[in-house]
Amino acid sequence: MEHYKKPLPCVDDDTREFWNGCKEHQLRFQKCKACGHIRWPASPICPSCLSKDTTWLAASGKGRIYTFAVYHVAFHPGFKDDLPYIVADIALEEGPRLVSNIVECPLDKVKCDLPVVVAWEDINEEFALPKFRPASSA
Amino acid sequence: MRRTLLELSPQDAVFGHFEAVGGYALAARRAMHTFRTGPETWKHIAVGQRRWANLTAEAAMHDQPMTFEDYDLSPWVVEPLRRADCCLITDGGRAVVITSAERARDLKQPPVLIMGMGQHNPASGVHQATHLAGPTGAKKSAETALNMAGITLADIDACEIYDCFTYTVEITLQDYGFFGPGEGEDWFKGGTIEPGGSMPVNTSGGMLSEAYYMGLTPLSEAAMQLMGRCGQRQLGPKTHTKPPEIILCSDNGAILQTHSCAILRRS
């Protein structure tokens, strides 16, 4: 694997389970045991009911593009070769929204509400990133 | 700068997402999906404000006119936002002195009175927010401020709107109630916000074309206009606009997460 030049995930106590799941190509989110709310970003308490009682749930990896933006400027040199690239806010079936990239899709086909599925990218020995591609190309 | 961006949102940086232009691009795109808006609306804001900057000697863009064609040729930064949709990055500062009306009476400059203020903070980060296409915090902020002032939008003579991006100006004025969702293009068309227009907006060029002093660009400009200290760009006969009695100002923070509104009146 060629040397990875982009920023790597910052793993902390809240996000460790998420990134461990990614490594196994499984999207995991916290589910509140008190009210059932499924949340992202990861946090020690439920933003909906403030309970600390939490379990982790495996998500389907299916969702829709809530909104997206096409980067024409590389604010970090690691992304220079990818220009133009697509950042999207994915509304997952289970509820949380996750910022990621759209891959395997021509720019003019990207639109809000487009159904997408997770497309894993193994970036090194330690991390895999959940990116998304159109569900129709599955 | 790069370090700051990485530290602010490390999970986003993994995917090459960097606020603020990226965040506002996500918001603006959602708005384009929700109601009729986009570059055809925003070009009226960029060009209109530039015409005010052309009357403002201190403005960074004073000597640089902008046509609709110039706007269309402006390069994408993060689509759907072009460079012409983004505010400037400038050094400098602005200040206003706030005191009681009684103490202000003896000062050299005629004072400007604060009629009303309002704040509302929807607070969710851009990724979880459901208010990106409005209503943002602007709606409740303006309701509170107008109530406190005891006036309606019909009493407003001009607006000084926090304009980090053109879309921010549109969604703020829309949430204030100047026009309905998707009616912005028609409202802005024909020079509404420009010199000679019926509702002047960002009369120094704003942060898009004068200078970025955060919320102080709109607030100080409103105060200066009401004091009559604006020279060539002074609202009134000089710019074929209504002499201003009351000006509405806004400020907002993060990606439409926080909003405040102030209504100022000539003394």
Side-chain angles (χ1 to χ4, degrees), chain B residues 2 10 12-13 16 27 30 41 56 67 86 125 137 139 147 157 162 168 175 180 182 189 199 204 214-215 240 243:
Chain B
R2 186 193 307 156
D12 293 349
R30 184 67 197 176
T41 300
T56 307
T67 63
C86 301
K139 191 167 187 284
N147 273 338
D157 299 315
Y162 182 87
T168 318
D175 285 345
K189 211 184 267 177
M199 182 53 69
S204 63
M214 307 188 79
H240 310 288

mmCIF file of all heavy atoms in Angstrom, chain B residues 2 10 12-13 16 27 30 41 56 67 86 125 137 139 147 157 162 168 175 180 182 189 199 204 214-215 240 243:
data_model
loop_
_atom_site.group_PDB
_atom_site.id
_atom_site.type_symbol
_atom_site.label_atom_id
_atom_site.label_comp_id
_atom_site.label_asym_id
_atom_site.label_seq_id
_atom_site.Cartn_x
_atom_site.Cartn_y
_atom_site.Cartn_z
ATOM 1 N N ARG B 2 -4.244 25.487 8.229
ATOM 2 C CA ARG B 2 -4.557 24.095 7.969
ATOM 3 C C ARG B 2 -4.665 23.338 9.284
ATOM 4 O O ARG B 2 -5.556 22.528 9.487
ATOM 5 C CB ARG B 2 -3.483 23.471 7.080
ATOM 6 C CG ARG B 2 -3.840 22.055 6.668
ATOM 7 C CD ARG B 2 -2.658 21.335 6.074
ATOM 8 N NE ARG B 2 -2.050 22.094 5.006
ATOM 9 C CZ ARG B 2 -0.781 21.930 4.636
ATOM 10 N NH1 ARG B 2 -0.006 21.058 5.256
ATOM 11 N NH2 ARG B 2 -0.278 22.643 3.666
ATOM 12 N N PRO B 10 -11.519 16.925 13.254
ATOM 13 C CA PRO B 10 -10.630 15.870 12.766
ATOM 14 C C PRO B 10 -11.359 14.759 12.007
ATOM 15 O O PRO B 10 -10.820 14.231 11.037
ATOM 16 C CB PRO B 10 -9.974 15.339 14.049
ATOM 17 C CG PRO B 10 -10.833 15.803 15.179
ATOM 18 C CD PRO B 10 -11.493 17.065 14.710
ATOM 19 N N ASP B 12 -13.964 15.067 10.114
ATOM 20 C CA ASP B 12 -14.310 15.565 8.777
ATOM 21 C C ASP B 12 -13.087 15.614 7.876
ATOM 22 O O ASP B 12 -13.167 15.353 6.684
ATOM 23 C CB ASP B 12 -14.885 16.982 8.873
ATOM 24 C CG ASP B 12 -16.231 17.001 9.577
ATOM 25 O OD1 ASP B 12 -16.802 15.918 9.787
ATOM 26 O OD2 ASP B 12 -16.691 18.096 9.909
ATOM 27 N N ALA B 13 -11.946 15.978 8.462
ATOM 28 C CA ALA B 13 -10.718 16.136 7.676
ATOM 29 C C ALA B 13 -10.314 14.806 7.030
ATOM 30 O O ALA B 13 -9.710 14.789 5.955
ATOM 31 C CB ALA B 13 -9.596 16.657 8.562
ATOM 32 N N GLY B 16 -11.688 14.901 3.812
ATOM 33 C CA GLY B 16 -11.399 16.107 3.038
ATOM 34 C C GLY B 16 -12.460 17.173 3.177
ATOM 35 O O GLY B 16 -12.630 18.004 2.289
ATOM 36 N N ALA B 27 -24.862 23.397 3.224
ATOM 37 C CA ALA B 27 -26.130 24.078 3.548
ATOM 38 C C ALA B 27 -26.777 24.638 2.279
ATOM 39 O O ALA B 27 -27.971 24.462 2.040
ATOM 40 C CB ALA B 27 -25.888 25.191 4.560
ATOM 41 N N ARG B 30 -28.287 21.926 0.107
ATOM 42 C CA ARG B 30 -29.556 21.436 0.666
ATOM 43 C C ARG B 30 -30.674 22.434 0.343
ATOM 44 O O ARG B 30 -31.803 22.048 0.047
ATOM 45 C CB ARG B 30 -29.415 21.208 2.181
ATOM 46 C CG ARG B 30 -30.635 20.606 2.837
ATOM 47 C CD ARG B 30 -30.900 19.166 2.397
ATOM 48 N NE ARG B 30 -32.260 18.760 2.714
ATOM 49 C CZ ARG B 30 -32.781 17.580 2.372
ATOM 50 N NH1 ARG B 30 -32.069 16.680 1.715
ATOM 51 N NH2 ARG B 30 -34.026 17.296 2.680
ATOM 52 N N THR B 41 -29.612 33.212 -8.022
ATOM 53 C CA THR B 41 -30.069 34.097 -6.943
ATOM 54 C C THR B 41 -28.868 34.808 -6.325
ATOM 55 O O THR B 41 -28.875 36.028 -6.127
ATOM 56 C CB THR B 41 -30.786 33.269 -5.852
ATOM 57 O OG1 THR B 41 -31.901 32.618 -6.442
ATOM 58 C CG2 THR B 41 -31.256 34.157 -4.703
ATOM 59 N N THR B 56 -17.277 52.832 -1.729
ATOM 60 C CA THR B 56 -16.648 52.862 -0.404
ATOM 61 C C THR B 56 -15.128 52.858 -0.549
ATOM 62 O O THR B 56 -14.534 51.824 -0.882
ATOM 63 C CB THR B 56 -17.103 51.619 0.420
ATOM 64 O OG1 THR B 56 -18.525 51.570 0.421
ATOM 65 C CG2 THR B 56 -16.569 51.663 1.840
ATOM 66 N N THR B 67 -19.432 42.333 -12.707
ATOM 67 C CA THR B 67 -20.639 42.153 -13.522
ATOM 68 C C THR B 67 -21.176 40.739 -13.287
ATOM 69 O O THR B 67 -20.496 39.910 -12.673
ATOM 70 C CB THR B 67 -20.318 42.304 -15.016
ATOM 71 O OG1 THR B 67 -19.404 41.248 -15.376
ATOM 72 C CG2 THR B 67 -19.667 43.652 -15.326
ATOM 73 N N CYS B 86 -17.906 33.946 -1.575
ATOM 74 C CA CYS B 86 -17.213 33.836 -0.282
ATOM 75 C C CYS B 86 -16.767 35.210 0.208
ATOM 76 O O CYS B 86 -16.328 36.047 -0.581
ATOM 77 C CB CYS B 86 -15.961 32.963 -0.421
ATOM 78 S SG CYS B 86 -16.302 31.302 -1.000
ATOM 79 N N GLY B 125 -24.710 20.785 14.914
ATOM 80 C CA GLY B 125 -23.644 20.890 13.931
ATOM 81 C C GLY B 125 -24.207 20.622 12.544
ATOM 82 O O GLY B 125 -25.269 20.010 12.400
ATOM 83 N N GLY B 137 -31.768 30.170 12.889
ATOM 84 C CA GLY B 137 -32.007 30.984 14.081
ATOM 85 C C GLY B 137 -32.475 32.395 13.746
ATOM 86 O O GLY B 137 -32.962 33.121 14.621
ATOM 87 N N LYS B 139 -35.023 33.382 12.139
ATOM 88 C CA LYS B 139 -36.481 33.591 12.233
ATOM 89 C C LYS B 139 -36.882 34.075 13.630
ATOM 90 O O LYS B 139 -37.490 35.130 13.784
ATOM 91 C CB LYS B 139 -37.207 32.298 11.870
ATOM 92 C CG LYS B 139 -38.686 32.470 11.679
ATOM 93 C CD LYS B 139 -39.294 31.233 11.027
ATOM 94 C CE LYS B 139 -40.755 31.464 10.661
ATOM 95 N NZ LYS B 139 -41.633 31.404 11.820
ATOM 96 N N ASN B 147 -40.368 42.502 18.042
ATOM 97 C CA ASN B 147 -41.292 42.673 19.172
ATOM 98 C C ASN B 147 -40.757 43.689 20.158
ATOM 99 O O ASN B 147 -41.473 44.565 20.623
ATOM 100 C CB ASN B 147 -41.498 41.343 19.906
ATOM 101 C CG ASN B 147 -42.610 40.538 19.271
ATOM 102 O OD1 ASN B 147 -43.461 41.085 18.582
ATOM 103 N ND2 ASN B 147 -42.600 39.231 19.504
ATOM 104 N N ASP B 157 -35.607 50.378 6.963
ATOM 105 C CA ASP B 157 -35.162 51.142 5.789
ATOM 106 C C ASP B 157 -33.989 50.497 5.060
ATOM 107 O O ASP B 157 -33.773 50.744 3.873
ATOM 108 C CB ASP B 157 -34.754 52.555 6.223
ATOM 109 C CG ASP B 157 -35.926 53.300 6.836
ATOM 110 O OD1 ASP B 157 -37.032 53.234 6.259
ATOM 111 O OD2 ASP B 157 -35.741 53.926 7.897
ATOM 112 N N TYR B 162 -24.994 39.776 8.141
ATOM 113 C CA TYR B 162 -23.758 38.997 8.233
ATOM 114 C C TYR B 162 -23.652 38.129 6.983
ATOM 115 O O TYR B 162 -24.491 37.262 6.740
ATOM 116 C CB TYR B 162 -23.777 38.138 9.491
ATOM 117 C CG TYR B 162 -22.521 37.329 9.688
ATOM 118 C CD1 TYR B 162 -21.421 37.857 10.353
ATOM 119 C CD2 TYR B 162 -22.430 36.022 9.213
ATOM 120 C CE1 TYR B 162 -20.259 37.117 10.534
ATOM 121 C CE2 TYR B 162 -21.271 35.278 9.392
ATOM 122 C CZ TYR B 162 -20.202 35.831 10.055
ATOM 123 O OH TYR B 162 -19.052 35.097 10.225
ATOM 124 N N THR B 168 -25.843 32.979 2.903
ATOM 125 C CA THR B 168 -26.202 33.425 4.251
ATOM 126 C C THR B 168 -27.113 34.654 4.188
ATOM 127 O O THR B 168 -28.042 34.792 4.985
ATOM 128 C CB THR B 168 -24.931 33.770 5.058
ATOM 129 O OG1 THR B 168 -23.944 32.784 4.790
ATOM 130 C CG2 THR B 168 -25.213 33.813 6.542
ATOM 131 N N ASP B 175 -35.607 34.137 6.152
ATOM 132 C CA ASP B 175 -36.118 33.788 7.481
ATOM 133 C C ASP B 175 -36.667 35.009 8.228
ATOM 134 O O ASP B 175 -37.559 34.883 9.059
ATOM 135 C CB ASP B 175 -35.018 33.115 8.318
ATOM 136 C CG ASP B 175 -34.767 31.674 7.886
ATOM 137 O OD1 ASP B 175 -35.619 31.117 7.164
ATOM 138 O OD2 ASP B 175 -33.728 31.112 8.266
ATOM 139 N N GLY B 180 -40.672 34.811 0.637
ATOM 140 C CA GLY B 180 -40.908 33.402 0.971
ATOM 141 C C GLY B 180 -39.823 32.509 0.409
ATOM 142 O O GLY B 180 -39.049 32.935 -0.457
ATOM 143 N N GLY B 182 -37.718 30.424 -1.802
ATOM 144 C CA GLY B 182 -37.659 30.299 -3.256
ATOM 145 C C GLY B 182 -38.000 31.584 -4.003
ATOM 146 O O GLY B 182 -37.891 31.648 -5.220
ATOM 147 N N LYS B 189 -33.729 40.516 -7.823
ATOM 148 C CA LYS B 189 -33.606 40.938 -9.220
ATOM 149 C C LYS B 189 -33.959 42.410 -9.395
ATOM 150 O O LYS B 189 -34.883 42.896 -8.753
ATOM 151 C CB LYS B 189 -34.545 40.074 -10.073
ATOM 152 C CG LYS B 189 -34.066 39.821 -11.480
ATOM 153 C CD LYS B 189 -35.102 39.036 -12.259
ATOM 154 C CE LYS B 189 -34.850 37.537 -12.176
ATOM 155 N NZ LYS B 189 -35.879 36.760 -12.875
ATOM 156 N N MET B 199 -34.529 48.254 -0.899
ATOM 157 C CA MET B 199 -34.075 47.738 0.395
ATOM 158 C C MET B 199 -32.554 47.546 0.359
ATOM 159 O O MET B 199 -32.054 46.456 0.104
ATOM 160 C CB MET B 199 -34.771 46.409 0.740
ATOM 161 C CG MET B 199 -34.401 45.827 2.102
ATOM 162 S SD MET B 199 -34.605 46.967 3.495
ATOM 163 C CE MET B 199 -36.387 47.123 3.562
ATOM 164 N N SER B 204 -21.708 48.920 2.652
ATOM 165 C CA SER B 204 -20.288 49.270 2.498
ATOM 166 C C SER B 204 -19.637 48.262 1.543
ATOM 167 O O SER B 204 -18.459 48.354 1.237
ATOM 168 C CB SER B 204 -19.578 49.186 3.852
ATOM 169 O OG SER B 204 -19.627 47.847 4.326
ATOM 170 N N MET B 214 -16.066 40.279 11.074
ATOM 171 C CA MET B 214 -17.085 39.463 11.749
ATOM 172 C C MET B 214 -18.357 40.298 11.927
ATOM 173 O O MET B 214 -18.692 41.086 11.069
ATOM 174 C CB MET B 214 -16.534 38.921 13.066
ATOM 175 C CG MET B 214 -15.207 38.204 12.819
ATOM 176 S SD MET B 214 -14.531 37.325 14.217
ATOM 177 C CE MET B 214 -15.505 35.846 14.184
ATOM 178 N N GLY B 215 -19.066 40.120 13.048
ATOM 179 C CA GLY B 215 -20.346 40.818 13.208
ATOM 180 C C GLY B 215 -20.236 42.321 13.262
ATOM 181 O O GLY B 215 -21.230 43.040 13.157
ATOM 182 N N HIS B 240 -29.752 57.758 -3.932
ATOM 183 C CA HIS B 240 -31.128 57.555 -4.405
ATOM 184 C C HIS B 240 -31.855 56.491 -3.584
ATOM 185 O O HIS B 240 -32.494 55.587 -4.131
ATOM 186 C CB HIS B 240 -31.139 57.204 -5.903
ATOM 187 C CG HIS B 240 -30.333 58.154 -6.728
ATOM 188 N ND1 HIS B 240 -30.750 59.443 -6.989
ATOM 189 C CD2 HIS B 240 -29.094 58.021 -7.296
ATOM 190 C CE1 HIS B 240 -29.815 60.070 -7.709
ATOM 191 N NE2 HIS B 240 -28.799 59.234 -7.898
ATOM 192 N N PRO B 243 -33.748 58.071 3.132
ATOM 193 C CA PRO B 243 -32.901 58.426 4.274
ATOM 194 C C PRO B 243 -33.233 57.486 5.441
ATOM 195 O O PRO B 243 -34.406 57.322 5.767
ATOM 196 C CB PRO B 243 -33.313 59.864 4.591
ATOM 197 C CG PRO B 243 -33.983 60.370 3.352
ATOM 198 C CD PRO B 243 -34.609 59.179 2.696
#
